[in-house]
Amino acid sequence: MLKTLRIRNLVTIEDLSVEFGRGLNVLTGETGAGKSIVVDALGLLAGERGDSALVRSGTDRSVIEAAFELAPDDPLAALLLARGLDAGDETLVVRREISAAGSGRVLINGSPSTVGVLREL
């Protein structure tokens, strides 16, 4: 379950932190409020292609970070271990950075990883 999401310098969002609770969570707002950017950020965390055009104008990089609650027997823990990554306790932290220069990096529970692994997760 998604617990928290933090977005910095992604398109029009300067800095946003959202905490999600159990059950249904709804994002509402007027046209142009940034709802689709939040959904796009989740896509980036799921391994979708990112590029430097997503970096907020005047900044050097975008950062998207999310914390997910994992059950002790979650199959993701086995996948993380198979990929040489720390399975952590009951929290999975995914961080994706996209630079204005076009490069990027992925961190899973603090360890460097790849976009391919994000897609698997």
Side-chain angles (χ1 to χ4, degrees):
M1 177 184 100
L2 178 61
K3 291 174 21 176
T4 61
L5 175 66
R6 178 143 191 229
I7 303 170
R8 287 183 291 166
N9 300 322
L10 185 67
V11 190
T12 59
I13 295 176
E14 183 176 358
D15 195 351
L16 172 72
S17 293
V18 181
E19 290 191 31
F20 296 91
R22 294 212 172 271
L24 177 67
N25 292 267
V26 178
L27 298 174
T28 65
E30 295 181 24
T31 301
K35 300 176 298 292
S36 62
I37 297 170
V38 173
V39 173
D40 291 344
L42 290 171
L44 289 168
L45 290 175
E48 288 183 6
R49 182 172 169 79
D51 77 34
S52 60
L54 297 171
V55 178
R56 181 179 165 92
S57 179
T59 64
D60 62 340
R61 67 185 169 138
S62 293
V63 178
I64 303 102
E65 187 170 37
F68 299 88
E69 182 180 320
L70 298 179
D73 59 344
D74 195 304
L76 283 179
L79 179 61
L80 290 168
L81 291 173
R83 299 291 173 259
L85 298 166
D86 178 21
D89 46 15
E90 294 180 4
T91 301
L92 170 66
V93 178
V94 178
R95 179 182 175 107
R96 179 132 184 223
E97 299 179 9
I98 301 169
S99 80
S103 63
R105 76 183 200 165
V106 172
L107 297 168
I108 298 175
N109 284 345
S111 297
S113 190
T114 66
V115 173
V117 172
L118 282 181
R119 284 188 206 110
E120 282 186 85
L121 291 175

